[in-house]
Amino acid sequence: WNATPNAIERYASIIGDAPLVIDDYAPQPDHTSQTKLDQTVERVIRDAGNNAGRARMRANLSLQHIYRKRGLIIATGEQLPKGQSVLARIYGIALEKGDVNTSELSKAQANHEKYYGFATAAYIDWIEQTGEQKLKELFEAAEKKMLSVNLQSNLADRLRRSAAKLYAAFDLMLQMMMSYGIIEPHEIERFQEIAINSIAENISVFR
């Protein structure tokens, strides 16, 4: 987060269809530094949430290229940004000490070259084989399923839709795993239920 807003905006545009991890939104030692950091975080979140970029002009009054977010921003921090409109643009996960199984995490990190590259390649291959129209149908059906879940009544519509998109992305992964025989068709409903309950529970705790 210590990069400039313009730099983060450019990164988020260059890294298309992939995660951009921004670390670490933490309290600053003085008021000036904290204000500057807060402004950066709020601007990036607003632009990303609105899928918008900043329009700028050159010295000759022509417009520069507008860089819009094309991937998924994953941010870490020790604090939350201020303002309900900003918070409505993020899906937050609160972690406490002990929530992460560090032993399993270490195993996953040690095997990342062996498994994750292969899994990503398989997912991209499945997307290509499935086709754009079918993917759209699967994604929209999963979104609709999550939107039908009875979440908090006062939940912002923007956050509700973010939760639906998160679930839909997970559901596409399940569809891919089933097509390759990694999981059986009868197992999908169990994983879907786990995902829906986890998302609903996290929203209620985080909000």
Side-chain angles (χ1 to χ4, degrees), residues 2-201:
N2 287 328
T4 66
N6 289 346
I8 296 174
E9 180 183 88
R10 185 73 180 268
Y11 292 146
S13 179
I14 292 172
I15 304 178
D17 302 322
L20 171 65
V21 180
I22 310 177
D23 184 56
D24 160 35
Y25 184 34
Q28 299 300 294
D30 58 78
H31 177 73
T32 301
S33 299
Q34 186 66 56
T35 300
K36 182 179 178 181
L37 179 60
D38 291 342
Q39 290 173 344
T40 297
V41 171
E42 290 173 19
R43 172 177 157 181
V44 170
I45 290 174
R46 285 185 185 280
D47 287 351
N50 296 336
N51 195 28
R54 295 297 175 106
R56 302 176 183 86
M57 299 186 73
R58 298 185 179 92
N60 64 0
L61 301 185
S62 64
L63 288 174
Q64 297 183 27
H65 178 76
I66 298 176
Y67 293 98
R68 293 181 174 86
K69 176 186 73 70
R70 299 191 302 125
L72 173 68
I73 293 179
I74 301 174
T76 68
E78 299 174 23
Q79 58 188 11
L80 290 171
K82 300 184 179 80
Q84 288 300 314
S85 64
V86 177
L87 290 174
R89 287 169 169 79
I90 65 175
Y91 179 87
I93 300 175
L95 292 175
E96 301 289 343
K97 187 175 182 180
D99 284 349
V100 177
N101 186 323
T102 54
S103 176
E104 291 299 320
L105 176 62
S106 296
K107 290 180 185 178
Q109 290 172 330
N111 291 317
H112 77 280
E113 292 183 358
K114 183 177 180 181
Y115 296 116
Y116 296 131
F118 174 79
T120 302
Y123 186 59
I124 293 172
D125 183 61
W126 176 79
I127 287 175
E128 185 177 7
Q129 291 181 40
T130 304
E132 184 176 347
Q133 183 58 38
K134 182 62 175 178
L135 281 174
K136 183 180 179 182
E137 292 172 3
L138 289 170
F139 193 88
E140 289 179 349
E143 268 191 310
K144 186 176 180 180
K145 182 174 182 177
M146 188 68 211
L147 287 170
S148 69
V149 175
N150 187 22
L151 299 176
Q152 288 177 247
S153 59
N154 63 341
L155 199 63
D157 183 65
R158 189 188 295 268
L159 182 56
R160 193 181 300 274
R161 294 191 175 279
S162 293
K165 290 182 185 299
L166 179 64
Y167 169 76
F170 179 77
D171 190 72
L172 285 187
M173 183 192 71
L174 293 179
Q175 301 296 332
M176 180 273 289
M177 294 172 69
M178 183 180 68
S179 72
Y180 285 126
I182 300 170
I183 60 175
E184 297 296 327
H186 69 270
E187 295 180 283
I188 280 195
E189 286 190 11
R190 179 169 65 87
F191 287 117
Q192 289 173 332
E193 184 178 356
I194 291 172
I196 288 173
N197 291 339
S198 297
I199 291 172
E201 180 182 359

